[in-house]
């Protein structure tokens, strides 16, 4: 596929080899406070530093003018703000930007900025690859390599934020990129703590969504964390027989347990649940599937997001026809389900998670240029 590469190898000043300094973004505000106190500084400087990085978008300690000069050099000796490099950026005509991010160990992840009216949403990865094995998804085709660190998750947010014009404001975060966020929950929560902090990105938890394949113990852990993030559960099938084929982890869990955990999350967070349903032509899009789905969801306070499949090269799945999408919609609406049919955004830039990484891996004409 021909990708409209708008820039490449820019932005984050990553120089990784031999640099022993810690990744500043891996530290919570508390960790940073402790470091400062250990170095004879007042703890409130943590707030100042976080404000510089996230609000003022400054990554060079020398520019942090309200810090004592000696501290600025000490910080520079001890920390790096960015450890990744942006290996590609592509933009589609509907205002969607997608970045391919190179990690210090050579791995790559994707993240996306979506523009919709005044809404500026970013879609962020939580792992390199994915272990869940959903058969239609590009991210997990080669399994999972590793969890991203808190700092690597936050870097994606900062790099996407940096693409906004002065007149634009980051408004929403969705943990819907590569990987299963609930399989890397501690680091994801660490990153979201900074994302929602007033000195960090200042995004309300009501505007942050964590998307999961549906791992009940981790959903319970997320509920007990107490911050009311939105939860989206990727359902994709209305019965266990089909779901276990499409979403293999379902074999060990089953839809009932996923729905029970989602209900508990709703009870404790008070946040309306979202269910995601990728519509695969001839696989899960029949009127009967629609009726079964309506039966599962109509007594729950949920939004069902139906997403037409974004085709992945080499996989046998197709986007349903317009007529079958319309019929599926009619069945759900008359079945009493609150349903939204999402537009596919960013098709031309492989916006479905994992596709850009794969396609770049297959093409020789667009070698990522990394910075050293
Ligand atoms: N692991 C998490 C989050 C990452 S996937 C989860 O399963 O929710 C984010 C969403 O994108 C999921 O609903 C996933 O099923 C969907 N998705 C993956 N590949 C897709 C494709 N090719 N077309 C449309 N949606 C896709």
């Amino acid at each position: 596929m021909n990708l409209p590469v708008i820039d490449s190898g820019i932005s984050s000043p990553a120089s990784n080899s031999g640099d022993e300094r810690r990744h500043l973004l891996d530290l919570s505000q508390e960790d940073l406070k402790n470091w400062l106190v250990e170095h004879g500084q007042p703890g409130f400087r943590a707030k100042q530093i976080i404000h510089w990085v996230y609000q003022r978008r400054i990554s060079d300690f020398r520019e942090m003018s309200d810090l004592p000069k000696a501290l600025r050099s000490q910080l520079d000796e001890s920390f790096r703000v960015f450890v990744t490099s942006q290996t590609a950026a592509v933009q589609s005509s509907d205002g969607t930007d997608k970045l391919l991010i190179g990690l210090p160990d050579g791995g790559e992840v994707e993240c996306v900025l979506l523009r919709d009216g005044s809404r500026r949403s970013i879609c962020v990865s939580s792992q390199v690859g994915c272990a869940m094995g959903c058969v239609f998804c590009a991210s997990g085709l080669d399994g999972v390599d590793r969890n991203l660190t808190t700092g690597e998750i936050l870097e994606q947010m900062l790099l996407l934020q940096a693409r906004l014009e002065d007149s634009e404001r980051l408004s929403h975060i969705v943990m819907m990129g590569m990987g299963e966020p609930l399989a890397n929950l501690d680091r994801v929560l660490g990153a979201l703590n900074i994302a929602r902090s007033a000195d960090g990105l200042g995004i309300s938890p009501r505007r942050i969504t964590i998307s999961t394949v549906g791992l009940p113990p981790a959903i319970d852990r997320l509920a007990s964390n107490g911050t009311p993030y939105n939860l989206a559960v990727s359902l994709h099938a209305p019965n266990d027989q089909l779901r276990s084929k499409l979403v293999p982890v379902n074999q060990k869990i089953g839809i009932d347990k996923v729905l029970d955990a989602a209900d508990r999350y709703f009870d404790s967070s008070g946040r309306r649940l979202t269910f995601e349903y990728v519509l695969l032509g001839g696989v899960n899009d029949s009127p009967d599937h629609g009726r079964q789905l309506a039966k599962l969801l109509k007594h729950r306070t949920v939004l069902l997001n139906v997403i037409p499949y974004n085709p992945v090269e080499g996989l046998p799945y197709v986007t349903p026809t317009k007529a079958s999408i319309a019929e599926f919609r009619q069945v759900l609406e008359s079945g009493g389900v609150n349903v939204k049919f999402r537009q596919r955004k960013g098709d031309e830039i492989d916006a479905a998670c994992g596709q850009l990484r794969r396609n770049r891996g297959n093409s020789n004409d667009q070698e990522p240029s990394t910075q050293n």
Side-chain angles (χ1 to χ4, degrees):
M1 181 177 216
N2 249 340
L3 300 170
V5 176
I6 52 174
D7 49 36
S8 115
I10 57 158
S11 183
S12 50
S15 162
N16 300 312
S17 48
D19 193 335
E20 299 290 314
R21 293 176 300 167
R22 289 171 78 189
H23 190 190
L24 183 84
L25 306 186
D26 271 337
L27 275 67
S28 67
Q29 189 154 350
E30 210 45 46
D31 293 339
L32 187 53
K33 242 188 218 166
N34 292 339
W35 185 91
L36 286 159
V37 171
E38 278 164 26
H39 288 77
Q41 291 289 331
F44 69 78
R45 301 230 180 272
K47 204 173 152 80
Q48 287 175 299
I49 296 165
I50 289 173
H51 188 84
W52 276 111
V53 172
Y54 292 90
Q55 299 274 320
R56 308 282 297 270
R57 307 183 192 177
I58 296 295
S59 58
D60 185 340
F61 294 111
R62 286 168 302 187
E63 291 178 41
M64 301 187 179
S65 52
D66 56 1
L67 303 180
K69 277 208 168 132
L71 174 60
R72 289 186 237 169
S73 341
Q74 235 176 344
L75 285 165
D76 191 51
E77 280 158 24
S78 308
F79 296 106
R80 286 187 298 162
V81 177
F82 287 106
V83 301
T84 70
S85 59
Q86 182 181 300
T87 50
V90 292
Q91 189 166 47
S92 81
S93 50
D94 64 12
T96 304
D97 288 11
K98 183 163 199 166
L99 307 183
L100 193 62
I101 306 290
L103 304 167
D105 63 358
E108 286 183 319
V109 292
E110 300 174 10
C111 56
V112 184
L113 165 67
L114 298 121
R115 296 179 169 89
D116 189 8
S118 61
R119 212 176 155 124
R120 298 290 175 273
S121 311
I122 57 173
C123 177
V124 174
S125 293
S126 55
Q127 296 182 309
V128 186
C130 185
M132 299 299 115
C134 301
V135 295
F136 51 83
C137 176
S139 293
L141 289 176
D142 300 321
V144 67
D145 288 340
R146 68 170 173 89
N147 287 331
L148 291 181
T149 63
T150 293
E152 288 166 340
I153 296 169
L154 282 165
E155 262 191 53
Q156 297 171 64
M157 299 181 190
L158 283 172
L159 292 173
L160 291 165
Q161 175 177 255
R163 302 190 76 79
L164 297 175
E165 307 284 336
D166 285 345
S167 58
E168 298 177 300
R169 274 259 157 277
L170 179 59
S171 60
H172 293 76
I173 299 175
V174 295
M175 295 304 305
M176 258 187 210
M178 290 171 59
E180 168 51 46
L182 294 196
N184 187 18
L185 187 55
D186 291 334
R187 273 113 166 218
V188 166
L189 290 177
L192 294 180
N193 275 340
I194 297 273
R196 70 189 169 86
S197 131
D199 297 303
L201 294 173
I203 310 286
S204 154
R206 292 168 181 273
R207 292 176 166 211
I208 298 177
T209 300
I210 301 176
S211 180
T212 177
V213 73
L215 306 175
I219 292 175
D220 289 336
R221 231 159 52 76
L222 181 62
S224 65
N225 168 67
T227 308
Y229 297 114
N230 299 305
L231 184 69
V233 178
S234 295
L235 200 57
H236 307 324
N239 60 62
D240 276 326
Q241 200 193 4
L242 182 57
R243 190 167 197 264
S244 292
K245 276 191 200 146
L246 300 179
V247 181
V249 290
N250 189 66
Q251 290 160 20
K252 288 184 260 159
I253 304 169
I255 289 179
D256 285 349
K257 286 199 177 135
V258 174
L259 293 177
D260 286 349
D263 288 344
R264 290 193 294 276
Y265 190 81
F266 172 70
D267 288 341
S268 74
S269 70
R271 303 295 296 150
R272 180 184 68 183
L273 299 167
T274 300
F275 286 91
E276 308 275 334
Y277 196 97
V278 172
L279 213 49
L280 306 163
V283 175
N284 64 357
D285 63 339
S286 75
D288 191 43
H289 292 132
R291 279 186 286 274
Q292 292 177 43
L293 191 56
K295 210 171 150 195
L296 286 182
L297 300 183
K298 71 178 172 192
H299 297 303
R300 294 184 152 92
T301 311
V302 303
L303 170 69
L304 175 66
N305 248 331
V306 181
I307 312 145
Y309 183 57
N310 199 336
V312 175
E313 213 180 298
L315 293 183
Y317 303 99
V318 293
T319 312
T321 60
K322 275 196 173 140
S324 69
I325 295 177
E327 196 176 6
F328 196 74
R329 176 179 204 143
Q330 199 275 325
V331 170
L332 284 160
E333 282 173 351
S334 59
V337 178
N338 177 21
V339 58
K340 246 196 206 152
F341 278 66
R342 280 221 312 242
Q343 294 288 322
R344 288 192 319 201
K345 280 201 157 260
D347 275 19
E348 62 196 85
I349 56 163
D350 299 336
C353 48
Q355 293 195 49
L356 177 59
R357 183 180 74 139
R358 265 199 104 61
N359 284 345
R360 285 186 67 90
N362 295 339
S363 74
N364 303 319
D365 54 340
Q366 286 165 350
E367 280 299 303
S369 64
T370 37
Q371 274 192 325
N372 278 310

